[in-house]
Amino acid sequence: MIDTSLILNTLGSGVPVILLHAVMALAMFAAGLWIRIRLTAFDELAEIQGGNVAAAINLSGVMIALAVPLASTLVTSAGTLDVAIWGLVTVAVQLVFSECAGRLFIRQIDVVRDRNVAGALALASAQLSLGLLNAGALAL
């Protein structure tokens, strides 16, 4: 027979922690995205609002590349402080990776300004690849 009181007690103690970790990850994601948008040498949101598909692809790659390491942090962390510390570290590392990809691999400003969809896909792929490597590093 299943002890429903045990299940309810587990839910009662677990759900608040899950919600706290999710809110923390969302806040770190939003902060990382805000910083990344502010660091960009052009108004990426205005480009997207103006119909620039390359800008949308580029920013989508950045968002997913920020989310993947944060998700890995949630999986590998032992508690709330762990989530906070490693979440901030992964966001910082990913922002550096994103900046490097946008300057060294394919010049992000040229891709977006020229509305180069092929270049934006390659840049988004580079950002996603770096995000996966960042996430994988947390598994150590």
Side-chain angles (χ1 to χ4, degrees), residues 42-78:
F42 53 92
D43 190 346
E44 199 158 30
L45 295 177
E47 291 287 335
I48 292 168
Q49 290 170 346
N52 188 334
V53 175
I57 291 169
N58 182 56
L59 189 59
S60 296
V62 168
M63 289 190 293
I64 297 168
L66 275 171
V68 169
L70 280 171
S72 184
T73 297
L74 292 172
V75 170
T76 60
S77 293

Side-chain angles (χ1 to χ4, degrees), residues 20-21 24-25 28 69-70 72-74 76-94 134 138:
L20 175 61
H21 289 184
M24 289 171 61
M28 288 183 278
L70 280 171
S72 184
T73 297
L74 292 172
T76 60
S77 293
T80 303
L81 182 60
D82 214 19
V83 169
I85 292 169
W86 287 109
L88 292 172
V89 168
T90 61
V91 167
V93 168
Q94 195 57 42
N134 188 5
L138 291 169

